[in-house]
Amino acid sequence: MKRFNIFVLFIFLFCGGVQNKVQAQEKPLYEIHALLLYNFIRYIEWPSSDRSGDFVIGVIGNDQVHSALSKWYKTKRKDNQTIVIKQFNGALDVTKCHVIYIANKKSNEFNIVKDIAAGQHTLIVTDKPGLGKKGSNINFKMVNGRPRFELNKSATEKASLKVSSQLEKIAILI
């Protein structure tokens, strides 16, 4: 319960006050995305077959998100797994990941990543309107000037990922 309260507080502080965060540029959007990516993995459960070895988060197309993740979370763990952050130049470079983040500027490579991840337990996170409905598990979007995220329950179930009800409550379900 304590983790949930911290997560809700985080969402309220960083996503609730758009006037304070986006316009004032106190926290750049790439930092909010990096913070949310880390929090997503805390509220999603991967199948037992993916709970050994390193926990890999891949980034395509945003060096700032990659840098923030590397700086803040490279020494963290997901349960008993060491978190490893990888940067990919494009979709064809992607290797097996637990999470893959596709930045807006590389969103044209979404279908390739989706095909590569098919049959794997990969959480695909995107940052372009419409990609949530096209099969991204989580898609960042702005709603009334506030950063929010969509959760595609069907795509997440297809990847055999279990999303906590707390995360579902604060997502835009599609």
Side-chain angles (χ1 to χ4, degrees):
M1 188 63 166
K2 183 178 178 184
R3 287 172 72 176
F4 174 68
N5 291 337
I6 291 170
F7 186 67
V8 170
L9 178 62
F10 167 80
I11 294 297
F12 177 77
L13 290 175
F14 287 96
C15 298
V18 106
Q19 302 301 323
N20 295 338
K21 299 302 174 191
V22 175
Q23 291 177 355
Q25 296 298 315
E26 290 179 29
K27 286 284 182 200
L29 198 54
Y30 75 87
E31 286 187 6
I32 293 171
H33 286 187
L35 289 164
L36 286 170
L37 279 167
Y38 178 72
N39 278 291
F40 292 152
I41 69 171
R42 294 173 56 205
Y43 292 92
I44 295 174
E45 183 179 321
W46 275 257
S48 58
S49 60
D50 286 335
R51 293 187 203 157
S52 62
D54 293 331
F55 187 90
V56 180
I57 300 172
V59 176
I60 301 174
N62 192 319
D63 294 340
Q64 293 173 315
V65 169
H66 175 261
S67 294
L69 287 168
S70 295
K71 180 179 176 183
W72 299 336
Y73 304 119
K74 70 178 179 181
T75 60
K76 301 286 185 190
R77 301 181 69 75
K78 163 78 170 138
D79 301 322
N80 65 337
Q81 296 173 278
T82 301
I83 294 176
V84 173
I85 313 297
K86 292 185 176 183
Q87 176 77 42
F88 299 110
N89 293 323
L92 296 176
D93 297 329
V94 172
T95 58
K96 185 170 174 27
C97 295
H98 291 83
V99 178
I100 188 76
Y101 170 78
I102 307 169
N104 188 309
K105 72 178 185 178
K106 289 289 192 169
S107 60
N108 62 326
E109 298 186 37
F110 169 71
N111 287 327
I112 298 169
V113 173
K114 187 176 160 189
D115 290 344
I116 290 169
Q120 298 181 29
H121 311 290
T122 302
L123 179 73
I124 300 173
V125 181
T126 54
D127 180 28
K128 183 171 182 180
L131 290 184
K133 291 182 180 176
K134 290 184 178 181
S136 170
N137 303 104
I138 294 176
N139 185 57
F140 292 120
K141 67 184 291 181
M142 297 298 279
V143 177
N144 297 324
R146 294 181 175 170
R148 299 279 316 269
F149 64 93
E150 301 170 316
L151 174 66
N152 183 324
K153 289 183 69 170
S154 175
T156 305
E157 290 169 2
K158 189 175 180 179
S160 300
L161 303 173
K162 293 182 184 176
V163 178
S164 76
S165 60
Q166 292 94 347
L167 189 59
E168 286 183 6
K169 287 178 186 176
I170 60 175
I172 300 167
L173 300 177
I174 56 174

